[in-house]
Amino acid sequence: MFDSDKVVLTGIKPTGMPHIGNYVGALKPMIELSQTHKTYMFIADLHSLNTIHDANTIRENTYAMAATMVAGGLNLNNAVLFRQSDIVPVYQLATLLMNVTPKGLMNRAHSYKAAVDRNAAAGLDTDAGVNMGLYTYPILMAADILLYGADIVPVGADQKQHVEFARDIAGYFNNAYGDVFRLPEPVIGRDNGLIPGLDGRKMSKSYDNTIAIFAPENELKRKIMRIITDSKTPDEPKNPDESTIFQLYKHFATDSEIAEFREMFLRGGMGYGTAKTRLFDRVNSVLGTPRSEYERLMQNRAELDAILADGAARARVVADKTIARVKRAMLGLN
Ligand code: ADP
Ligand code: TRP
C-alpha cells in the first residue's frame, strides 16, 4: 500500500474493550501493514489519562488491546508493540515541544474546541472540566509521532488534525533548530466504511452499541441476535445496503459469499433471524482461532508483559537517539 521504506506508526487509546469497529477500522489495517512495513504500534495509555482516572481500567484495557493485536496476527518481527508510558523520552519530548508550540494552535484543536462549545452551550465557564491533559493532548501526540521518525500515520478522520499539528510542530522546531524531525503524513484509511453498531449508528463505546471483537461465543451470539432491524416479514425483499447485518457480514466474508448474501436479501424469503444466524456463524468461524489465542494470552499476563517489554526495549533504542538529538539542539547537551 505504501512505499515499504516508510515507517508507519499509530497509537490507540485503552479507553474500552476493543470492539469490531476498532478492529476492522484501526487494528486490522495495522496488522496488515506490519506484514510489509516497519511499524510502531503503541497503546496510548498516557492519552487516556485526561478522561480515565482509574488505573485498573487502563491496565486491563491495555492488556486487552495488546492481546488483540497479537492474536490478530501482528507481525512482531516488523512491528514494535509497546505501551506509551513505558518510554520515558516521550514525556521529555512533550515538555520540550511545548516551547515551539504556539498556544493558538492548541486553542484550535477540535477536541478542545468541542469541549469549549459544549460548555458555552450549557452556560458554563468555557474551560469547565478541561484539564491540561486535554488542552495539550496534541503536543503529546506530536511527541509520539516525532520521537520514532514516523512517515505515515494511519488514523481515523477525527485524528487527522492532530497529525497535521505534529507536522506543524516539527516544522516550527526544524526552523528554529535545524533539520531534526521528519515530517509525518496522516493517512485516513480507517473510516472507509464505518462499522455500524447494534442500533445501526456508528459502532462506538460512546453509544453503548458495540460487540467486543473477542467476546466469548455466547456473548457474540446474544449481541448479534440483538441487532436492530426494520419490521419486514421474511418473504419481503430487503435492502442489504441499509442492513447492519449485511454491513457487518461484508467485513468477514469472501467476495462470493458477500454476493450470495446480497442476493438473498434482495430476493426475499430470508427472515432477519436467519440472516443473523448466518452472520454469527461467519463471524464466529473467522474469529474462533484468534479468540482462543486472545483468551490464552489474557490468561498469561507474563507473556503479554514480555511482549510489551520487548517492544519497549526496541522503541527505546530509537527514542533515546531522538531525544539526545533534541537535547543537543535545544540545550547544547548530549
Ligand atoms: P470509540 O468510538 O468506540 O470511542 P475510538 O475513537 O477509541 O472508538 O476508536 C479508535 C479507532 O478505531 C478510531 O480512530 C477508528 O479508526 C476506529 N474505529 C472506531 N469505531 C469505528 C467504527 N465504527 N468503524 C470503523 N472504525 C472505527
Ligand atoms: N489520539 C489518538 C486517538 O484518540 C491515539 C493516539 C495517541 C495516536 N498518539 C498517537 C494516533 C500517535 C496516532 C499517532 O485515537
Side-chain angles (χ1 to χ4, degrees):
M1 181 162 38
F2 309 121
D3 180 346
S4 60
D5 295 339
K6 301 269 183 192
V7 174
V8 182
L9 170 144
T10 202
I12 186 146
K13 280 190 294 183
T15 44
M17 287 297 279
H19 56 70
I20 289 183
N22 300 144
Y23 187 75
V24 173
L27 305 181
K28 196 156 152 251
M30 279 305 280
I31 290 169
E32 280 159 13
L33 278 168
S34 77
Q35 311 309 332
T36 47
H37 289 73
K38 174 83 182 178
T39 46
Y40 290 90
M41 174 78 218
F42 60 89
I43 298 140
D45 54 351
L46 295 174
H47 273 113
S48 71
L49 285 172
N50 72 81
T51 51
I52 305 189
H53 291 171
D54 180 70
N56 286 337
T57 303
I58 294 178
R59 188 195 53 229
E60 289 309 299
N61 289 342
T62 297
Y63 279 129
M65 206 57 89
T68 299
M69 294 300 292
V70 175
L74 189 74
N75 180 330
L76 289 172
N77 294 320
N78 298 335
V80 181
L81 175 67
F82 62 103
R83 201 190 255 120
Q84 182 189 28
S85 64
D86 280 343
I87 311 299
V88 173
V90 84
Y91 308 72
Q92 298 173 316
L93 185 57
T95 295
L96 294 168
L97 292 178
M98 300 264 172
N99 304 289
V100 294
T101 305
K103 177 167 178 280
L105 198 66
M106 299 299 98
N107 292 340
R108 288 202 298 279
H110 295 321
S111 44
Y112 170 65
K113 267 174 56 185
V116 167
D117 291 347
R118 265 195 313 273
N119 283 334
L124 299 168
D125 181 281
T126 48
D127 279 336
V130 174
N131 57 42
M132 290 304 284
L134 172 62
Y135 190 63
T136 61
Y137 189 104
I139 301 179
L140 178 58
M141 189 154 154
D144 287 328
I145 294 170
L146 302 180
L147 195 55
Y148 306 102
D151 297 295
I152 305 282
V153 185
V155 282
D158 63 322
Q159 295 297 315
K160 179 165 182 262
Q161 187 203 39
H162 289 152
V163 182
E164 288 164 353
F165 281 6
R167 193 182 168 91
D168 293 343
I169 293 170
Y172 296 135
F173 187 99
N174 287 352
N175 271 340
Y177 294 107
D179 231 0
V180 172
F181 291 125
R182 221 183 277 183
L183 302 186
E185 249 180 80
V187 172
I188 314 304
R190 290 184 185 180
D191 298 336
N192 298 337
L194 274 183
I195 310 297
L198 301 178
D199 57 2
R201 292 187 290 174
K202 169 190 180 245
M203 186 178 288
S204 170
K205 60 186 163 297
S206 335
Y207 299 144
D208 200 17
N209 63 355
T210 64
I211 305 175
I213 181 75
F214 293 133
E217 189 170 319
N218 54 0
E219 181 185 326
L220 179 67
K221 184 157 203 168
R222 198 161 33 81
K223 290 274 177 87
I224 287 179
M225 291 301 165
R226 267 181 37 205
I227 292 174
I228 294 176
T229 62
D230 59 29
S231 52
K232 291 210 168 72
T233 64
D235 286 345
E236 284 178 83
K238 301 170 182 67
N239 183 350
D241 298 319
E242 284 174 2
S243 165
T244 302
I245 303 169
F246 184 75
Q247 296 310 314
L248 286 172
Y249 187 84
K250 281 203 303 196
H251 295 282
F252 293 91
T254 62
D255 288 348
S256 64
E257 286 166 329
I258 296 168
E260 187 190 326
F261 203 35
R262 169 180 281 283
E263 191 42 42
M264 289 163 79
F265 269 80
L266 294 171
R267 203 187 311 131
M270 173 180 66
Y272 284 124
T274 309
K276 286 176 180 176
T277 302
R278 185 175 168 126
L279 171 64
F280 166 75
D281 288 342
R282 192 68 225 138
V283 175
N284 195 43
S285 97
V286 172
L287 296 182
T289 306
R291 179 173 54 217
S292 307
E293 176 62 1
Y294 170 84
E295 284 166 356
R296 191 189 68 74
L297 286 164
M298 289 301 277
Q299 297 301 319
N300 284 280
R301 297 298 166 94
E303 192 173 329
L304 285 174
D305 285 333
I307 291 171
L308 291 171
D310 177 62
R314 289 159 71 195
R316 241 173 245 129
V317 172
V318 179
D320 286 345
K321 282 200 187 114
T322 306
I323 201 69
R325 288 176 71 198
V326 173
K327 285 172 82 175
R328 208 176 305 131
M330 290 184 98
L331 300 162
L333 297 174
N334 279 310

